[in-house]
Amino acid sequence: LPEINDSEGHPSSSHQTLKGTSKWATSLENLLEDPEGVKRFREFLKKEFSEENVLFWLACEEFKKTQGKKQMQEKAKEIYMTFLSSKASSQVNVEGQSRLNETILETPHPLMFQKLQDQIFNLMKYDSYSRFLKSDIFLNHKKCEEQEENSPEAQTAAKRASRIYNT
């Protein structure tokens, strides 16, 4: 089977697996799926004093996987106290916050925070995320990745790999 090569003679693949910063740059969803991406994004948000947004989003994701009413009640209360109550230590800025009153915590369900989580997601997506992609944190990380890719070790490994596959 003839191999299709890109302009530089590397085998090209229609669904190339994007990694690191190139994957993060495609969407906020991809960024949030990568633990390293989340780490860098949090670092950035900390500087912007809005780290609570991503922490709230992550807490909601975690909450959806919670099994058992007792655990759900505890986690829901924790999310409420940490992010949503008027006395919350890391209060997120969502509309209709006051409408989520504490009585809902008695009968938790996996998607009870979904509307608020979506609001915060959109806030991050249209606000902090675009700034993150222009930030030093992102750009320096990208530069490090590119230097690693272009290091002699990486190139010999790639050449070795291509020799193996081209036999």
Side-chain angles (χ1 to χ4, degrees):
L1 215 98
E3 248 182 31
I4 302 163
N5 291 325
D6 65 18
S7 58
E8 287 160 9
H10 303 298
S12 70
S13 128
S14 53
H15 36 253
Q16 220 173 359
T17 49
L18 290 173
K19 286 201 299 285
T21 50
S22 31
K23 190 174 182 187
W24 306 347
T26 53
S27 72
L28 179 55
E29 288 85 342
N30 283 338
L31 172 68
L32 293 171
E33 276 168 16
D34 181 345
E36 181 64 24
V38 168
K39 198 172 118 186
R40 301 290 168 180
F41 193 45
R42 281 183 61 177
E43 217 175 294
F44 170 74
L45 291 176
K46 218 177 247 163
K47 289 186 165 156
E48 292 217 323
F49 303 103
S50 60
E51 189 191 13
E52 68 281 354
N53 290 338
V54 74
L55 295 176
F56 173 69
W57 189 88
L58 292 165
C60 292
E61 282 300 284
E62 210 37 56
F63 177 75
K64 290 176 198 169
K65 299 177 205 146
T66 307
Q67 304 287 311
K69 190 173 178 201
K70 186 106 187 77
Q71 278 92 329
M72 280 181 88
Q73 282 177 328
E74 284 167 16
K75 264 220 165 98
K77 193 170 170 60
E78 196 183 311
I79 289 175
Y80 181 79
M81 299 315 277
T82 310
F83 302 105
L84 299 168
S85 109
S86 55
K87 299 185 273 298
S89 52
S90 307
Q91 196 177 24
V92 287
N93 185 10
V94 286
E95 300 149 34
Q97 208 166 331
S98 44
R99 283 202 295 275
L100 186 74
N101 61 25
E102 287 184 61
T103 53
I104 192 175
L105 301 176
E106 297 309 311
T107 53
H109 59 89
L111 300 177
M112 63 189 280
F113 296 116
Q114 190 64 54
K115 270 201 176 79
L116 302 177
Q117 187 186 9
D118 291 344
Q119 274 184 36
I120 290 298
F121 181 83
N122 286 328
L123 183 72
M124 292 191 296
K125 182 175 182 169
Y126 297 110
D127 188 37
S128 352
Y129 174 64
S130 46
R131 282 200 304 279
F132 170 68
L133 296 179
K134 297 181 192 107
S135 73
D136 288 347
I137 293 175
F138 178 82
L139 296 172
N140 291 339
H141 194 74
K142 187 177 174 169
K143 203 184 291 169
C144 290
E145 281 180 347
E146 285 162 0
Q147 282 165 350
E148 278 168 28
E149 275 168 31
N150 298 329
S151 72
E153 299 87 53
Q155 286 176 346
T156 18
K159 282 200 185 91
R160 268 203 308 276
S162 74
R163 269 206 302 278
I164 296 164
Y165 295 123
N166 290 339
T167 51

